[in-house]
Amino acid sequence: LAAADPRVLALAAQVAESREQDIPLLLLKLKGILNSASLGCEESKKIKQDIYSYDLTQYCMLVLRQDHSRLHGGWATAAQLAEILSHCCVGLEVKEDTEEFYKKFLPSAIDNLLFLGRRLQARYIRAIKDEEKQDFLRWFQTVTDAICWLFGGHIQLAACVLQNDHFLQLLITDDVETAIIMMSVLHNILRVNSSVLLQIDEETLHSVLDELVYKLSSTTNPVVGNAATKLLLLVAKFCKQLVKLLTARYKGLKGLLSKQWIGKGFDKDLSQLLDLLDLEQSSGKGEMQRQHEAACIIQATWRGFLTRKRLKKLPQAVTALQRSFRAKREQELQHLKKQKEDEALKLQMQLQRQRAMRLFHERQLALLEIIHASQVNKYMEEMEGKSALTIQRFWRGYRARRNFHQQRQSLKEYKAAVVIQRAACKFLEKRRRRRPLSSWKDPKGLTDEQRLALQQKVDDYIKLHPASQMSEEMSKELHMQAQEKLAQFLLRSRLDQRAAQRRETLLAQVNTDVELLMNAPGLAEIMEKDLDVFMSRSIPVATKARQSHNTMLKYTRCPWWKKLGDEFVEDDVIPDDALNAELGTLFIGGRK
């Protein structure tokens, strides 16, 4: 085997060691390497094989998916990489994994190129400055030329391009410049593979033809009309089945072409297309007449059958109509009755409310006669306060009940999921601990023939992939760098761990102080012994230990039906939620 090109080897090493944002600019060097050899010669084929073997074409394909507005070189670099990728793939003779190259790599390259074209088209349409629009249009033209070059070298990719969703999105646009470019791409596809329209599915074919006819009907631009007419003429010349499809699916196409596009500068192509449509329409006229007569006979027979069937069902229909009328009348009577009952209930509630208000005012007048005049304002304020408290109490109760009813099912499901997950995790952990180690089985020995074949494969692989040599000084330097980075990492992780422990400790202390402050008595009721709780840190710790001990005793004395979720818990392990059940938000030792 011939040695690989040293330029390709050096570039592959640079790409492997470089950062991600620097890779696109490095891959531009492939253009000079490809231009150094004449197209089609053995040296060019060897360079393309080396580029593919060292995965540089894969790098080019993956870079096309990135957002180049944030990378060095911008979208101009992306357009150049698209051109480089197409030139690397055309004329490449893959000797290993040919199926992967033709069925996976090339369709992925087409998809990435079309995706890049969609991005450039969108930015061209959104651009405001003329200079910026011209740049995006030039880059878009470069990408479409790369696509044409790629499926020109691999004819089977023509169907892949047509069936790609990005191609249809690029074709379905109202922009004149990009639409003309995409129609030229479609023209090149039909020239390369004239039968490609019969290889794609029917939905894709209809979408392409619909878009061409739509452009003829929705625009008056002669350039767009000329391109769409040439495409339809090319489609009609290649296959007679598609001419039948055009005449059957687009019945007004002939009138549209003759009224709107005659005298626009492409009358020759337009007259050829109209002649083909007329020929197909005249040949199918007798068949259409026979079909029309047959359809009339079928329709007359069907209408007679329906009329006879309707006459037979007429008594049943009258019965059903009477039944539905009675049901509707009964429903209206029930509605009127319910409406009267609601009005009576509303009137009764209004009378009760008036009676209650009258009794309330009489009671207030009686109390005002008893109470001294100087105490009336105080009494009224007390009554207003009590009324406000009553209203607030009823409102809070109603809101709490509503929230509880809304969240009860979700809380139940959440608790059930937690119990199931905890039980499953503990069961799996317990089973993993009890699983015995599998006994070691000696491998079967190789025969002499298998050993020779394996040795031959190893030698071939070593020849194809020679290992890079590294000097002893470089090895020592690399070892020292690794040791320094490891030491920095360990020191940084140790400092981060100490800081995290300190944060957890401070958080636990703050939560403990907050709990003590919330449970502390008021300033008017505080005693001197209560100050010891805030002066000493040992009292909260002792309180925490006593509460934890009581919780553990209560948990061990619980009946069996309260421990259904803890079947797989070890006997000496108490769940954390049971220990913290009565502690609220009190934290000790940095643990919740």
Side-chain angles (χ1 to χ4, degrees):
L1 295 175
D5 193 299
R7 297 172 296 176
V8 177
L9 284 173
L11 182 58
Q14 291 180 2
V15 170
E17 296 175 358
S18 300
R19 299 178 301 174
E20 184 178 355
Q21 56 267 27
D22 297 334
I23 291 177
L25 294 178
L26 291 175
L27 292 175
L28 293 179
K29 297 180 181 179
L30 290 174
K31 188 173 183 180
I33 298 174
L34 292 171
N35 293 334
S36 63
S38 60
L39 188 64
C41 65
E42 294 296 330
E43 183 182 359
S44 176
K45 294 180 180 180
K46 182 64 175 59
I47 290 174
K48 292 178 181 179
Q49 289 178 359
D50 293 338
I51 291 173
Y52 180 76
S53 300
Y54 287 97
D55 295 336
L56 293 178
T57 52
Q58 284 84 344
Y59 274 109
C60 290
M61 183 179 68
L62 295 175
V63 164
L64 297 180
R65 282 276 179 179
Q66 296 181 354
D67 187 4
H68 290 269
S69 59
R70 303 178 181 178
L71 299 178
H72 300 295
W75 296 104
T77 304
Q80 296 180 25
L81 289 177
E83 187 177 8
I84 291 171
L85 177 61
S86 63
H87 283 281
C88 288
C89 294
V90 175
L92 174 61
E93 296 179 358
V94 180
K95 299 180 180 179
E96 297 180 357
D97 296 334
T98 57
E99 184 177 358
E100 181 181 0
F101 175 73
Y102 287 106
K103 293 186 178 181
K104 293 183 180 180
F105 179 77
L106 289 179
S108 299
I110 285 291
D111 185 71
N112 288 357
L113 289 171
L114 291 172
F115 181 73
L116 177 60
R118 283 195 64 188
R119 283 186 166 181
L120 291 174
Q121 185 190 51
R123 281 163 174 77
Y124 167 75
I125 294 172
R126 292 199 303 265
I128 300 176
K129 298 180 180 178
D130 293 338
E131 183 179 358
E132 187 178 1
K133 290 181 75 68
Q134 291 300 323
D135 291 338
F136 277 114
L137 184 61
R138 185 175 66 256
W139 297 333
F140 181 75
Q141 180 70 52
T142 303
V143 173
T144 54
D145 292 342
I147 295 172
C148 294
W149 181 264
L150 185 56
F151 67 71
H154 301 279
I155 301 177
Q156 72 277 7
L157 292 178
C160 181
V161 173
L162 285 179
Q163 290 179 341
N164 195 289
D165 294 336
H166 298 310
F167 176 79
L168 294 176
Q169 294 296 330
L170 286 169
L171 185 62
I172 302 172
T173 179
D174 294 331
D175 182 69
V176 176
E177 301 294 336
T178 56
I180 294 171
I181 294 174
M182 290 310 301
M183 284 192 286
S184 66
V185 173
L186 183 57
H187 191 273
N188 292 330
I189 291 174
L190 295 177
R191 289 179 57 191
V192 170
N193 189 356
S194 58
S195 62
V196 67
L197 294 177
L198 300 178
Q199 299 174 4
I200 61 177
D201 57 289
E202 186 178 357
E203 183 179 358
T204 304
L205 176 61
H206 289 174
S207 299
V208 174
L209 295 178
D210 289 346
E211 182 59 25
L212 294 178
V213 175
Y214 172 75
K215 290 185 184 301
L216 288 172
S217 63
S218 63
T219 183
T220 57
N221 193 321
V223 181
V224 178
N226 187 14
T229 304
K230 287 183 177 179
L231 282 174
L232 290 178
L233 179 61
L234 197 61
V235 169
K237 284 183 177 180
F238 284 149
C239 185
K240 294 183 179 180
Q241 298 178 3
L242 297 180
V243 180
K244 294 180 180 180
L245 178 62
L246 288 174
T247 55
R249 186 175 177 86
Y250 312 103
K251 298 187 182 299
L253 178 60
K254 181 182 174 182
L256 174 67
L257 294 174
S258 59
K259 291 179 181 178
Q260 186 172 346
W261 294 107
I262 290 179
K264 299 290 185 177
F266 50 94
D267 292 342
K268 182 178 179 180
D269 296 333
L270 188 61
S271 61
Q272 293 181 10
L273 180 58
L274 290 174
D275 292 340
L276 290 174
L277 294 177
D278 289 336
L279 182 62
E280 179 62 28
Q281 189 174 3
S282 62
S283 63
K285 196 169 185 180
E287 182 66 24
M288 290 179 62
Q289 183 68 25
R290 288 194 298 271
Q291 291 179 0
H292 177 71
E293 293 176 356
C296 291
I297 294 173
I298 294 172
Q299 289 176 0
T301 307
W302 175 250
R303 291 193 187 98
F305 169 74
L306 289 180
T307 303
R308 290 189 296 272
K309 187 177 179 180
R310 194 179 298 113
L311 290 174
K312 290 180 181 180
K313 292 184 177 181
L314 188 58
Q316 299 179 1
V318 173
T319 306
L321 181 62
Q322 292 176 352
R323 189 186 307 113
S324 61
F325 175 75
R326 294 191 188 98
K328 185 175 181 181
R329 186 176 59 184
E330 184 67 23
Q331 185 178 2
E332 291 178 353
L333 293 175
Q334 290 181 359
H335 179 69
L336 291 174
K337 184 179 179 182
K338 185 178 179 181
Q339 188 176 2
K340 290 180 180 179
E341 291 178 354
D342 293 340
E343 291 178 355
L345 181 61
K346 188 184 296 184
L347 180 61
Q348 186 178 1
M349 291 179 62
Q350 186 177 1
L351 292 174
Q352 290 180 357
R353 191 179 296 112
Q354 291 177 357
R355 190 181 297 111
M357 289 294 295
R358 185 166 56 252
L359 292 175
F360 174 74
H361 288 305
E362 291 177 355
R363 193 181 302 112
Q364 276 193 336
L365 290 175
L367 289 173
L368 289 176
E369 291 177 357
I370 298 173
I371 298 173
H372 193 268
S374 61
Q375 301 294 326
V376 171
N377 291 333
K378 183 177 180 181
Y379 172 74
M380 294 301 295
E381 291 178 357
E382 290 179 357
M383 292 299 296
E384 289 179 357
K386 290 180 180 180
S387 302
L389 290 176
T390 303
I391 294 172
Q392 292 175 359
R393 183 171 65 253
F394 277 96
W395 167 248
R396 292 193 185 99
Y398 165 73
R399 186 175 58 185
R401 286 191 298 273
R402 185 185 61 185
N403 294 336
F404 175 74
H405 285 300
Q406 291 177 354
Q407 300 176 1
R408 180 169 57 183
Q409 184 64 25
S410 60
L411 290 174
K412 187 183 296 182
E413 293 176 357
Y414 174 75
K415 291 181 179 179
V418 170
V419 171
I420 294 171
Q421 291 175 359
R422 186 191 304 119
C425 292
K426 290 176 180 178
F427 170 73
L428 292 175
E429 180 67 21
K430 190 173 182 181
R431 190 174 65 175
R432 186 181 62 80
R433 291 177 180 176
R434 293 179 180 178
R435 183 181 301 168
L437 297 175
S438 61
S439 59
W440 172 260
K441 294 182 180 180
D442 296 333
K444 296 181 179 179
L446 298 175
T447 61
D448 294 338
E449 296 179 356
Q450 293 176 348
R451 190 177 291 103
L452 290 175
L454 185 61
Q455 184 65 33
Q456 184 65 29
K457 289 183 180 179
V458 172
D459 295 340
D460 294 342
Y461 183 82
I462 292 175
K463 290 179 182 179
L464 287 174
H465 306 83
S468 59
Q469 300 293 332
M470 185 179 289
S471 61
E472 185 177 357
E473 290 78 6
M474 293 178 65
S475 301
K476 290 182 179 180
E477 183 179 357
L478 185 61
H479 177 70
M480 293 299 294
Q481 292 178 2
Q483 292 294 329
E484 290 178 359
K485 291 183 178 180
L486 181 60
Q488 293 175 3
F489 172 74
L490 294 175
L491 180 60
R492 190 163 54 251
S493 62
R494 193 179 297 111
L495 294 175
D496 294 341
Q497 186 177 5
R498 289 178 180 175
Q501 291 178 355
R502 177 173 178 79
R503 285 195 300 271
E504 291 178 356
T505 305
L506 291 175
L507 183 61
Q509 182 177 351
V510 169
N511 289 327
T512 304
D513 293 339
V514 169
E515 185 70 20
L516 290 174
L517 288 172
M518 291 177 64
N519 296 330
L523 294 176
E525 303 173 357
I526 194 169
M527 303 295 292
E528 184 176 357
K529 62 180 181 179
D530 295 331
L531 296 176
D532 296 336
V533 177
F534 300 94
M535 299 296 294
S536 174
R537 304 301 301 176
S538 61
I539 293 178
V541 175
T543 304
K544 170 67 178 179
R546 182 169 62 256
Q547 292 176 348
S548 300
H549 178 70
N550 294 334
T551 304
M552 289 175 64
L553 290 178
K554 187 182 298 184
Y555 180 79
T556 54
R557 296 170 182 172
C558 287
W560 63 271
W561 50 271
K562 287 190 176 181
K563 300 180 182 180
L564 288 178
D566 303 321
E567 298 95 324
F568 306 104
V569 182
E570 301 293 340
D571 295 338
D572 56 346
V573 177
I574 303 301
D576 293 339
D577 53 354
L579 291 176
N580 296 328
E582 300 179 357
L583 300 181
T585 57
L586 183 59
F587 294 83
I588 298 296
R591 186 174 177 184
K592 192 172 180 179

